Amino acid sequence: MGAPLRRQIHFSCLGHQLSASIDDGRMNTGLLIVSGGNEVRSGAHRGMAKLAARLARDGFSVFRFDRRGIGDSEGENGGFLSSGPDIAAAASAFRKACPELERIVAFGNCDAATALAFYHDPDDIAALLLANPWVIEHDGGLPSPVAIRQRYRTRLRSPRKLWGLLTGQVDLGKLWQGLLAARGGGKESSIARQMARALHDTPRPVSFILAEQDNTAMAFQDAWNRAAFDDLRDSGRGRLVKISTASHSFARTEDAEALYRAVRNMLHHVAMG
C-alpha cells in the first residue's frame, strides 16, 4: 500500500476562504486539528503535519486548517476567542471532504484547546483532546504563579543554586521579584471557570494532555485541582494524560511519540465505541 494521500482544499467561513490540508485515511473516525496561537496548520517544527501523516498511516483521516487571518487563509485574525465560526466551518468541511466519516475527534494545543472547549459542537464532535489549555489571565511577561513556585521548589533542592544564593551569585532583586510573583495565584482563573462551564454540559469524553514542566500546563493543573472542575473529574469524563517534558509543543522526539500515542489511543477508543 502506498503512502496516504495529502491534499489541499479551501472552504468558506463568514465569506472568507480558508485553507486546509487533509491526510486521508480509510477509517470512519477522523481527527480535526485546531492550531494554537498564530501558528499555521503545520504546527511548530511541522509537528502537526508529522502527526497527521503518521495517524493517516494508521488509517485515520486528519484535517488541519488555518483560521481566518492566519497563514494561507483570508480574513482578519481576531484571536482564539473569535474562532468559533472557524471551528464549526472546519468540522463541516471535513465531513464534506471525507463523507465516510462517522465520528470526529478534535485536538488543540494551548489557546486552541481553550477555543475547542468553548466552541465545540457536542453533536458534531465525539471527543476532545485538549493539550496545555490556556487559562492564564494576565501573564505580565512572567510565568504563572504556580509555575514560579514550582521553579523555586526545584531550585531550593539544588545544592549548586543554594550555594549561589549564599555566595552572592544570585541577583537578589530578581529573586525578590520572583517571590512576589509567586505569592499570586490565589484566585481561580475566570478563563478556567468558563472552560469548566463549557465542558460541564457536554456528554463527550475529554482528555487533557499536559507537558508537565510547561508553564501553561502547570497553570491548568492548578485550575484542574480546584472546585470548578469537580464535576468533570468526579464523573470520569475528564482525564489527565501527563507527558514528562517542558516543551509546550512536544518538540522532542520522545515528546512527539508520547503525544502521538495519546491521540491515537483516543481515536481507537472512539472508533471502537
Side-chain angles (χ1 to χ4, degrees), residues 199-231:
L199 295 172
H200 176 80
D201 295 327
T202 180
R204 306 308 184 194
V206 184
S207 284
F208 299 96
I209 305 173
L210 304 183
E212 286 187 290
Q213 290 87 50
D214 170 64
N215 291 335
T216 304
M218 284 191 278
F220 177 78
Q221 175 72 74
D222 182 63
W224 173 257
N225 294 334
R226 295 173 182 263
F229 285 94
D230 282 351
D231 177 70

Side-chain angles (χ1 to χ4, degrees), residues 7-244:
R7 51 192 168 114
Q8 311 300 320
I9 71 165
H10 294 86
F11 63 98
S12 179
C13 176
L14 300 181
H16 299 290
Q17 288 296 296
L18 275 57
S19 297
S21 302
I22 302 175
D23 290 72
D24 282 305
R26 63 187 181 278
M27 300 182 69
N28 62 8
T29 299
L31 181 71
L32 171 67
I33 296 180
V34 178
S35 298
N38 293 322
E39 286 182 357
V40 297
R41 60 187 183 273
S42 60
H45 319 288
R46 292 189 54 79
M48 294 300 101
K50 294 174 182 177
L51 176 64
R54 192 168 182 186
L55 292 169
R57 288 195 293 271
D58 293 336
F60 299 103
S61 293
V62 182
F63 188 101
R64 297 173 288 117
F65 70 100
D66 295 337
R67 73 165 188 256
R68 282 170 293 162
I70 298 293
D72 297 323
S73 292
E74 298 175 349
E76 182 177 349
N77 178 8
F80 78 98
L81 290 176
S82 71
S83 63
D86 307 66
I87 293 171
S92 176
F94 193 9
R95 290 192 180 278
K96 290 178 182 177
C98 300
E100 73 282 0
L101 282 181
E102 296 178 7
R103 307 175 188 89
I104 293 176
V105 174
F107 167 79
N109 187 25
C110 194
D111 60 22
T114 307
L116 275 171
F118 288 172
Y119 303 127
H120 74 284
D121 182 347
D123 292 328
D124 203 36
I125 302 298
L128 291 171
L129 287 163
L130 308 181
N132 305 321
W134 180 263
V135 295
I136 300 172
E137 298 285 358
H138 304 289
D139 60 12
L142 291 172
S144 66
V146 66
I148 295 173
R149 289 195 293 272
Q150 178 60 39
R151 184 174 298 173
Y152 276 104
R153 280 194 291 268
T154 300
R155 288 183 175 181
L156 289 173
R157 297 190 191 106
S158 167
R160 185 171 65 85
K161 295 293 185 182
L162 286 173
W163 179 251
L165 178 63
L166 293 172
T167 57
Q169 298 174 32
V170 173
D171 186 325
L172 294 179
K174 289 184 177 179
L175 174 63
W176 181 245
Q177 182 185 23
L179 290 172
L180 288 175
R183 292 176 58 195
K187 290 185 177 180
E188 193 171 32
S189 160
S190 65
I191 299 176
R193 290 196 301 271
Q194 292 174 52
M195 178 185 291
R197 285 196 296 269
L199 295 172
H200 176 80
D201 295 327
T202 180
R204 306 308 184 194
V206 184
S207 284
F208 299 96
I209 305 173
L210 304 183
E212 286 187 290
Q213 290 87 50
D214 170 64
N215 291 335
T216 304
M218 284 191 278
F220 177 78
Q221 175 72 74
D222 182 63
W224 173 257
N225 294 334
R226 295 173 182 263
F229 285 94
D230 282 351
D231 177 70
L232 199 61
R233 286 197 313 270
D234 296 344
S235 69
R237 288 187 298 107
R239 60 187 293 265
L240 299 185
V241 178
K242 296 184 179 182
I243 297 175
S244 182

